[in-house]
Amino acid sequence: MVLAIGIAVAAFFYFDLGQLLSLQALKDNRDYLLSFTETHSAVAAALFVLAYVAVTGLSLPGAVIMTLAGGFLFGAMLGTLLVNLGATTGATLAFLVSRYLLRDWVEQKFGKWLGPVQQGFSQNAFGYLMTLRLIPLFPFFVVNLVSGLTRMNVGTYVVATSLGIIPGSFVYAYAGRQLGTINSL
């Protein structure tokens, strides 16, 4: 499993797939994406959620572009819902991978941040995670990985993540509706 994750992340960077998760790629392909989404709405929604799960679950860069794309393709409300589903599922996968497969690597890589985070989680896991999601002091992927090292149960993690990302997801999805006028992040 660790090898598969490593290969997927390495392939993403080796084949420069990050270029597909750029504002320019989204704008360049806007007509095709809109046409496909209109013609195959259920398939487009499913593919979008799966792509978001992959990006978030593998802790790859591109969540902001994905969220803008969600709003652009599906509207602010449905886009926020699909983003929430994909981001929460992917974040939960990253949480579980961190907890059960990558514990030593995560502790070594992000050890300097673990002390305060562990202390905050031990006092009130739900409230602390909600705060980290609402006021993003740490990058999303770091919170996912570090949270896996805590004693927080998975249900609390899922609920706090799902609720905590709604405001930011909505703002970016709403902005995605204006894709033709967005020129930089």
Side-chain angles (χ1 to χ4, degrees):
M1 182 62 144
V2 173
L3 183 60
I5 293 168
I7 289 171
V9 171
F12 177 83
F13 289 105
Y14 181 79
F15 293 110
D16 194 25
L17 297 177
Q19 70 181 334
L20 300 174
L21 296 174
S22 70
L23 187 59
Q24 191 59 47
L26 192 55
K27 290 177 76 170
D28 290 347
N29 295 293
R30 106 186 264 284
D31 293 335
Y32 172 76
L33 291 169
L34 282 173
S35 173
F36 183 84
T37 301
E38 287 177 21
T39 307
H40 310 286
S41 58
V43 172
L47 289 173
F48 176 79
V49 170
L50 289 174
Y52 211 116
V53 168
V55 167
T56 309
L58 294 171
S59 301
L60 299 172
V64 170
I65 295 299
M66 292 289 296
T67 306
L68 287 169
F72 168 63
L73 295 172
F74 305 104
M77 296 305 287
L78 181 57
T80 299
L81 178 67
L82 296 174
V83 164
N84 192 287
L85 181 60
T88 300
T89 304
T92 302
L93 290 174
F95 170 89
L96 293 171
V97 166
S98 172
R99 177 168 283 178
Y100 297 112
L101 297 178
L102 301 176
R103 179 176 289 277
D104 294 338
W105 179 82
V106 172
E107 285 179 341
Q108 182 180 37
K109 185 83 171 164
F110 302 106
K112 65 183 177 188
W113 290 327
L114 289 180
V117 171
Q118 291 282 25
Q119 184 179 8
F121 277 113
S122 69
Q123 293 169 358
N124 178 1
F126 182 84
Y128 193 72
L129 183 57
M130 280 288 291
T131 301
L132 290 175
R133 295 298 192 203
L134 290 169
I135 306 168
L137 299 172
F138 300 103
F140 190 74
F141 79 96
V142 171
V143 174
N144 298 339
L145 296 176
V146 171
S147 296
L149 305 178
T150 68
R151 291 186 175 89
M152 178 188 323
N153 72 48
V154 176
T156 300
Y157 178 82
V158 169
V159 172
T161 295
S162 182
L163 293 175
I165 65 173
I166 291 171
S169 298
F170 179 77
V171 167
Y172 280 100
Y174 185 78
R177 293 302 291 162
Q178 307 303 320
L179 185 63
T181 61
I182 297 173
N183 293 313
S184 71
L185 294 177

